[in-house]
Amino acid sequence: MKKLFTILTIFIACAASVSAQQTVFIGDAGYDSLDDAITAINEGSASGDITLRADQTLAGRALVKKNMVIKGDGENITITRNFENALFFGTSGGNLTLENIILNCNDKKNNKAEIEAGNNHVTMTNVKITGRNGTATDNQTNASLIHAKPGRNLNLTNVTYEGEKKESTNGFDYYAVILRHETKNGTASNAKLNISGNYNIDIITEAPSNTITAKGLTATSPIEITLGYTPENGQTIVSGTADTGMFRLTNQGYFLRPDSDNLVLTDTDPSTGIEDILAGEENAIVNVYNLQGMLIKANVPRENATAGLAKGIYIIGGKKVAVH
């Protein structure tokens, strides 16, 4: 009996040791790697959220075939790419949700997007992407940071790119979200982008029927939007905000103006006719408002009124002032 008890004690101790080494979990079940956990959900042998308690490395692309949530349990949990020229994460049968994760592209060459909403949707919350090293060949249109195929949704909250942005070549933007579009049999499929919180990734949209919705953005510099088509005056570019300081069009000769709770396109430079600060008023005490009437600064010297403001148009001391 004593011998049996000793054997059981050793077995339990060994099992506890193995469990302690595992840092990937689906529910209470531990897995040796993130690859194993993804495979288990894709094959239907497990269900539930994948929780990461330590950094992980992927040896090949993570293709999501069933609905999947991958979240970090702790600060700065990092998933590192250890392969080249393939998606980091893509959807092919299931929606993907990433939460509280750093995606380290590890400076690996990649002629594909890092994240692709392919056959299904993608939601990312509190995700930072680093170490992007894009490459592209002729006729390649999806070598972006995040790629949304027609009919797919991207929901991005506190999603940022951090690190050097190497110069793009051959017209490809390796550091942008690309919203694709197609029409089949007279029916259009449009990509949808919803952004909120801290967000700093450029946007390229292929068609006016694609939608960009922004709520509660805290970007510290304007987000660049490139229109891959010929736009029309009055067309809504961004819904959900009328803050012109949050966005900038790269298309020459086009600008954004507020219209209700949206930003619409205009070919008239909104800075035209804006009054300059009158000489001799530099020391006046003023309030600063945005175009929606929200107080930005109170009781500041006029000479310091624009310090720290993002690009846009403000009401300073009762006069419109453009910050460039």
Side-chain angles (χ1 to χ4, degrees), residues 154-156 177 179 191-195 199 203 211-214:
L154 283 175
N155 306 303
L156 309 180
V177 167
L179 305 178
K192 298 180 180 180
L193 173 63
N194 302 301
I195 54 176
Y199 176 93
I203 301 167
T211 61
I212 302 170
T213 302

Side-chain angles (χ1 to χ4, degrees), residues 10-25:
I10 294 172
F11 176 78
I12 292 170
C14 290
S17 175
V18 171
S19 177
Q21 293 174 4
Q22 291 176 322
T23 57
V24 181
F25 290 84

Side-chain angles (χ1 to χ4, degrees), residues 42 134 139 145 148 204 301 310:
N42 280 339
N139 301 318
L145 192 65
I204 299 173

Side-chain angles (χ1 to χ4, degrees), residues 21-39:
Q21 293 174 4
Q22 291 176 322
T23 57
V24 181
F25 290 84
I26 301 176
D28 293 329
Y31 290 81
D32 292 333
S33 69
L34 177 56
D35 299 87
D36 291 345
I38 291 172
T39 298

Side-chain angles (χ1 to χ4, degrees), residues 158-170:
N158 296 331
V159 175
T160 57
Y161 179 82
E162 183 177 285
E164 180 186 2
K165 287 187 176 182
K166 301 179 179 68
E167 178 137 5
S168 299
T169 58
N170 299 329

Side-chain angles (χ1 to χ4, degrees), residues 7-299:
I7 293 172
L8 287 173
T9 301
I10 294 172
F11 176 78
I12 292 170
C14 290
S17 175
V18 171
S19 177
Q21 293 174 4
Q22 291 176 322
T23 57
V24 181
F25 290 84
I26 301 176
D28 293 329
Y31 290 81
D32 292 333
S33 69
L34 177 56
D35 299 87
D36 291 345
I38 291 172
T39 298
I41 291 181
N42 280 339
E43 293 180 349
S45 60
S47 62
D49 296 354
I50 298 176
T51 301
L52 309 181
R53 297 180 182 172
D55 296 347
Q56 304 295 316
T57 298
L58 283 180
R61 69 173 182 171
L63 198 59
V64 174
K65 299 179 181 179
K66 294 189 176 181
N67 291 347
M68 192 175 299
V69 177
I70 302 174
K71 57 186 180 181
D73 182 12
E75 293 186 4
N76 301 320
I77 299 295
T78 301
I79 303 174
T80 300
R81 149 199 285 282
N82 197 26
F83 55 94
E84 296 185 342
N85 294 332
L87 296 172
F88 205 153
F89 283 90
T91 60
S92 180
N95 299 325
L96 170 65
T97 298
L98 296 172
E99 297 179 2
N100 303 324
I101 293 289
I102 297 173
L103 297 178
N104 179 10
C105 303
N106 202 20
D107 210 31
K108 296 288 186 181
K109 292 181 179 179
N110 188 16
N111 56 13
K112 302 288 186 181
E114 298 298 341
I115 311 294
E116 182 178 75
N119 294 335
N120 302 84
H121 311 305
V122 170
T123 298
M124 299 166 66
T125 303
N126 300 331
V127 174
K128 180 167 64 178
I129 306 173
T130 68
R132 169 71 162 150
N133 186 2
T135 61
T137 57
D138 291 343
N139 301 318
Q140 193 167 347
T141 58
N142 61 347
S144 56
L145 192 65
I146 305 174
H147 182 219
K149 286 189 173 181
R152 307 305 170 217
N153 296 348
L154 283 175
N155 306 303
L156 309 180
T157 300
N158 296 331
V159 175
T160 57
Y161 179 82
E162 183 177 285
E164 180 186 2
K165 287 187 176 182
K166 301 179 179 68
E167 178 137 5
S168 299
T169 58
N170 299 329
F172 300 112
D173 192 329
Y174 308 130
Y175 307 98
V177 167
I178 292 185
L179 305 178
R180 304 298 303 277
H181 168 84
E182 68 178 0
T183 300
K184 288 185 177 180
N185 301 320
T187 301
S189 293
N190 310 306
K192 298 180 180 180
L193 173 63
N194 302 301
I195 54 176
S196 60
N198 186 15
Y199 176 93
N200 69 352
I201 301 171
D202 300 340
I203 301 167
I204 299 173
T205 178
E206 285 190 346
S209 49
N210 290 337
T211 61
I212 302 170
T213 302
K215 295 287 180 68
L217 279 178
T218 59
T220 57
S221 58
I223 298 162
E224 291 191 347
I225 299 177
T226 300
L227 308 177
Y229 55 89
T230 302
E232 296 182 1
N233 271 334
Q235 172 197 327
T236 297
I237 304 299
V238 181
S239 300
T241 182
D243 188 347
T244 56
M246 282 292 176
F247 297 92
R248 184 180 73 84
L249 290 180
T250 64
N251 303 67
Q252 188 172 2
Y254 292 103
F255 309 90
L256 295 172
R257 64 174 177 82
D259 181 14
S260 186
D261 290 329
N262 303 318
L263 293 172
V264 302
L265 184 133
T266 177
D267 58 7
T268 300
D269 187 342
S271 65
T272 301
I274 291 178
E275 300 176 60
D276 292 327
I277 296 174
L278 297 178
E281 295 183 353
E282 291 86 356
N283 295 323
I285 300 301
V286 297
N287 291 333
V288 180
Y289 298 86
N290 64 18
L291 289 180
Q292 292 72 56
M294 182 182 297
L295 179 64
I296 306 299
K297 294 184 180 183
N299 300 321

